[in-house]
């Protein structure tokens, strides 16, 4: 079997297009790459500073070396960590997820020229849950964690992780007001 010349030429043209955008429009390139190709993106492990990312990358490599047969998820995580390392080394940054502006599966460029990850990049949060959060956020701000769980139908574990990551701000646990809340 001989590889067709036209097919090889198409690969070369596509590679040159990718290289052009990676050099001249880097934020747009990375946002598109993460949206389309980043299956192993993990918000908690990757949206950190460069030193912390390199530490996470080293731990992931050690973990994979200790495994006899690394899973596809582990390989995708390592691949995406390398792309994030390249992006951070070039001086670009991630914006923290704003649940009222973030998209379910699309990485967006913020006004201050940073990339805001998709809601689905949070570990344990599937695409359907991310879509539910995006839809519920359009209806207005969440009054409490109870309101968030009711409107989004997200499980408690994912909601707790989002709160731990600081993505839900300082919303109270319940809709009930106390006398102490009124005195502030």
């Amino acid at each position: 079997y001989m590889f067709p010349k036209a097919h090889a030429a198409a690969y070369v043209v596509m590679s040159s297009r990718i290289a052009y955008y990676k050099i001249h429009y880097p934020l747009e390139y990375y946002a598109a790459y993460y949206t389309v190709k980043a299956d192993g993106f993990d918000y908690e492990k990757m949206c950190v500073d460069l030193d912390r990312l390199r530490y996470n990358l080293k731990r992931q490599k050690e973990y994979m070396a200790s495994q006899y047969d690394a899973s596809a998820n582990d390989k995708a995580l390592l691949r995406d960590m390398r792309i994030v390392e390249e992006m951070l080394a070039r001086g670009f940054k991630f914006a923290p997820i704003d649940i009222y502006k973030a998209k379910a599966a699309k990485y967006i460029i913020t006004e201050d020229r940073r990339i805001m990850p998709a809601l689905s990049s949070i570990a344990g949060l599937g695409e359907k849950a991310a879509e539910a959060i995006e839809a519920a956020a359009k209806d207005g701000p969440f009054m409490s964690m109870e309101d968030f769980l009711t409107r989004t139908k997200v499980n408690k574990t994912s909601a707790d992780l989002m709160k731990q990551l600081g993505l839900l701000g300082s919303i109270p646990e319940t809709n009930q007001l106390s006398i102490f809340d009124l005195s502030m």
Side-chain angles (χ1 to χ4, degrees):
Y1 172 73
M2 293 183 60
F3 198 71
K5 288 182 186 177
H7 207 74
Y11 277 167
V12 170
V13 170
M14 183 56 69
S15 297
S16 63
R17 285 180 182 166
I18 290 171
Y20 176 82
Y21 282 100
K22 192 172 187 178
I23 292 169
H24 297 288
Y25 300 98
L27 276 178
E28 289 79 0
Y29 166 79
Y30 289 119
Y33 178 85
Y34 298 140
T35 299
V36 174
K37 194 111 169 120
D39 301 329
F41 196 94
D42 185 349
Y43 179 80
E44 189 174 8
K45 293 179 182 175
M46 295 186 196
C47 295
V48 293
D49 64 344
L50 186 58
D51 293 332
R52 181 69 183 171
L53 178 79
R54 286 185 173 151
Y55 173 76
N56 291 343
L57 185 59
K58 180 181 172 192
R59 287 189 56 206
Q60 183 67 18
K61 285 179 184 177
E62 290 170 356
Y63 171 75
M64 287 182 63
S66 70
Q67 299 296 312
Y68 174 71
D69 188 26
S71 70
N73 290 340
D74 291 333
K75 291 176 184 177
L77 178 66
L78 185 64
R79 179 198 66 210
D80 292 343
M81 282 179 141
R82 288 182 177 147
I83 299 295
V84 170
E85 179 185 28
E86 172 189 300
M87 184 190 95
L88 294 176
R90 290 180 72 184
F92 303 109
K93 305 239 182 276
F94 286 108
I97 292 179
D98 180 351
I99 60 171
Y100 299 106
K101 294 179 183 176
K103 302 295 180 195
K106 185 177 179 184
Y107 292 70
I108 57 175
I109 299 171
T110 61
E111 297 84 29
D112 59 349
R113 304 294 293 162
R114 296 187 297 169
I115 296 175
M116 184 184 301
L119 291 167
S120 60
S121 68
I122 300 168
L125 196 67
E127 188 136 349
K128 293 291 182 194
E131 289 171 0
I133 292 171
E134 182 181 359
K138 290 178 183 175
D139 294 336
F142 300 105
M143 302 305 286
S144 66
M145 189 71 141
E146 191 177 86
D147 181 39
F148 177 78
L149 291 170
T150 304
R151 286 172 44 194
T152 63
K153 306 289 191 264
V154 172
N155 64 32
K156 181 87 167 109
T157 307
S158 296
D160 288 340
L161 176 62
M162 290 177 72
K163 188 159 179 99
Q164 179 186 357
L165 292 172
L167 304 179
L168 296 177
S170 60
I171 62 174
E173 288 295 319
T174 64
N175 289 339
Q176 296 290 326
L177 287 176
S178 74
I179 190 83
F180 301 110
D181 292 336
L182 298 175
S183 64
M184 290 184 184

